[in-house]
Amino acid sequence: LGVHQMDTCYVNTQDQKSRILEQAKDIFNDEFIKELDNILVVWNLGLPNKLIVKKPSTQKRKVIVFNHRAAAYKGYPTFIRLMEEYRIKRNDFKVWVPQLDGKPEHSWIDNTKVAKHDYYTKLQSCTVGVQMRQTNYGWSVAATDCMMNGTPMIYQESDCYREIDPNGLFWNKKVDFFNILDKILDNDGYRNELELKAIERAHELSTNEDKMIKELHKNLSN
């Protein structure tokens, strides 16, 4: 009802907008939904072009990064359960969770916290990032942080992540997830291809902000 009183309400994925409209259909009539559809506008977030690395780091370590909040709505408990199982299969990697507070539950989990610049530098040395399905269906700045630093991201299937990287690596089944990790950890050539694609996609996403700010200025001037 509050959104309905606005001229424009920005959301950062089409998936979010679609889910809002679908839920609203349970309560409101078709005319209200049509008006809501016009009010809700998708603003995919961008990233600063000047921070995108020119090429991937050559100092990669076998580190899987979970650079999101270590919370249930971000899929952290499921991620850790998967990593525990994956460690049974192979134990030549570590996991970095920079936003995890307290003592990690396993010795192979690193939760070192660093300043922003050092965070980007450390991301560059990670082999791969993991994006679990989350309950807000929003944009993932953590994913674009990885991409602009030449670190590929693996996504648990969710429509909102297809907006970030439609040609990215997606998985539904655990076996597929583990197979993708194996290939990235073991095949340097394959990993390097993914790193270059991540940087290329980061450049494409860097134009989002300028486009939407121009659109916002146009709306404000009307």
Side-chain angles (χ1 to χ4, degrees), residues 28-198:
F28 301 105
N29 61 30
D30 290 346
E31 183 179 352
F32 186 98
I33 300 302
K34 184 177 180 180
E35 292 169 353
L36 198 61
D37 187 17
N38 291 328
I39 293 167
L40 291 167
V41 176
V42 177
W43 185 329
N44 286 155
L45 301 180
L47 49 90
N49 188 66
K50 63 182 180 181
L51 293 181
I52 302 173
V53 297
K54 291 181 171 59
K55 59 183 180 180
S57 171
T58 57
Q59 304 298 317
K60 290 288 184 179
R61 298 181 177 89
K62 288 190 176 180
V63 175
I64 298 169
V65 61
F66 185 92
N67 56 327
H68 322 271
R69 294 184 184 91
Y73 81 99
K74 291 288 187 180
Y76 180 69
T78 303
F79 169 74
I80 288 300
R81 285 195 296 271
L82 287 166
M83 290 297 96
E84 288 170 341
E85 186 171 342
Y86 192 51
R87 287 283 300 190
I88 297 171
K89 182 179 181 183
R90 60 187 297 168
N91 60 9
D92 61 340
F93 68 92
K94 290 193 174 183
V95 172
W96 181 37
V97 190
Q99 297 194 57
L100 175 64
D101 294 324
K103 184 179 179 180
E105 52 264 69
H106 299 289
S107 61
W108 43 268
I109 298 176
D110 172 20
N111 67 334
T112 302
K113 292 172 175 55
V114 293
K116 193 74 171 182
H117 177 268
D118 295 327
Y119 160 70
Y120 289 148
T121 301
K122 191 162 181 172
L123 275 182
Q124 291 164 25
S125 69
C126 294
T127 305
V128 64
V130 175
Q131 173 69 69
M132 301 297 293
R133 189 178 295 124
Q134 54 190 13
T135 56
N136 65 357
Y137 308 103
W139 194 259
S140 173
V141 173
T144 56
D145 280 353
C146 279
M147 294 163 66
M148 73 181 188
N149 284 289
T151 298
M153 180 67 74
I154 305 175
Y155 304 89
Q156 187 176 17
E157 185 63 63
S158 188
D159 287 348
C160 57
Y161 303 145
R162 296 268 178 190
E163 298 176 50
I164 297 172
D165 192 358
N167 299 311
L169 293 171
F170 292 86
W171 62 277
N172 265 319
K173 295 180 180 179
K174 176 176 61 180
V175 63
D176 295 329
F177 177 48
F178 290 169
N179 286 340
I180 293 170
L181 283 175
D182 280 342
K183 193 170 181 181
I184 291 174
L185 291 170
D186 294 334
N187 189 327
D188 291 345
Y190 175 67
R191 190 200 69 239
N192 194 245
E193 285 180 19
L194 296 177
E195 291 164 353
L196 294 172
K197 287 179 180 178

